[in-house]
Amino acid sequence: MEIDWPVLRSAAREAMGRAYCPYSGFPVGAAALVDDGRVISGCNVENASYGVGLCAECSLVSALYGRGMSGAPRLVAVAVVDRNGDPLMPCGRCRQLLWEHGGAGLLLETVRGILPMSQVLPDAFGPDDLITRT
């Protein structure tokens, strides 16, 4: 599957424009290519109870499942941007979230370039670690 990174960055910038961030003033947008060809996006949504705010990547994963899609869609490539449209590294929680829904091969645009999640989150804990071993 060919990845059009400028299209993903543009969708992430558009999503960033919808961010709800009255407390931090730090809007973030994320966009992803899904294995079924869709491009989905999300933005950060803050809350007065700071710890329950949602990162853009959380919103993105909600969009992955939010349209009543059947099966288990997988993220293929993700771009996360700040208010200037520059690549932004996801926080630790969101790296784990992206791993869960894209796996080791998911490509992430970072400040160091395009990297697979296996390099962004080495030795990650994931669904395979929960398989009961006999």
Side-chain angles (χ1 to χ4, degrees):
M1 181 175 292
E2 187 172 328
I3 300 163
D4 190 338
W5 289 101
V7 165
L8 286 181
R9 279 191 302 278
S10 178
R13 280 193 299 275
E14 184 179 323
M16 182 267 307
R18 295 187 302 270
Y20 177 73
C21 52
Y23 307 104
S24 72
F26 192 77
V28 178
L33 175 63
V34 181
D35 62 359
D36 62 10
R38 291 179 293 149
V39 172
I40 59 173
S41 63
C43 62
N44 58 319
V45 179
E46 295 180 348
N47 189 292
S49 176
Y50 297 132
V52 297
L54 296 176
C55 296
E57 298 88 342
C58 295
S59 178
L60 177 80
V61 169
S62 292
L64 181 64
Y65 292 96
R67 294 200 173 118
M69 304 300 291
S70 60
R74 301 294 287 168
L75 299 173
V76 173
V78 174
V80 181
V81 300
D82 64 13
R83 72 172 32 139
N84 299 315
D86 296 325
L88 188 63
M89 181 60 84
C91 69
R93 175 181 81 163
C94 289
R95 292 179 200 192
Q96 180 67 37
L97 185 68
L98 293 174
W99 180 280
E100 180 86 11
H101 298 283
L106 169 65
L107 297 176
L108 179 66
E109 184 178 36
T110 75
V111 296
R112 294 184 293 142
I114 308 301
L115 297 175
M117 284 303 296
S118 60
Q119 289 182 28
V120 175
L121 191 62
D123 303 319
F125 180 87
D128 291 341
D129 295 302
L130 299 175
I131 296 172
T132 303
R133 291 175 173 78
T134 57

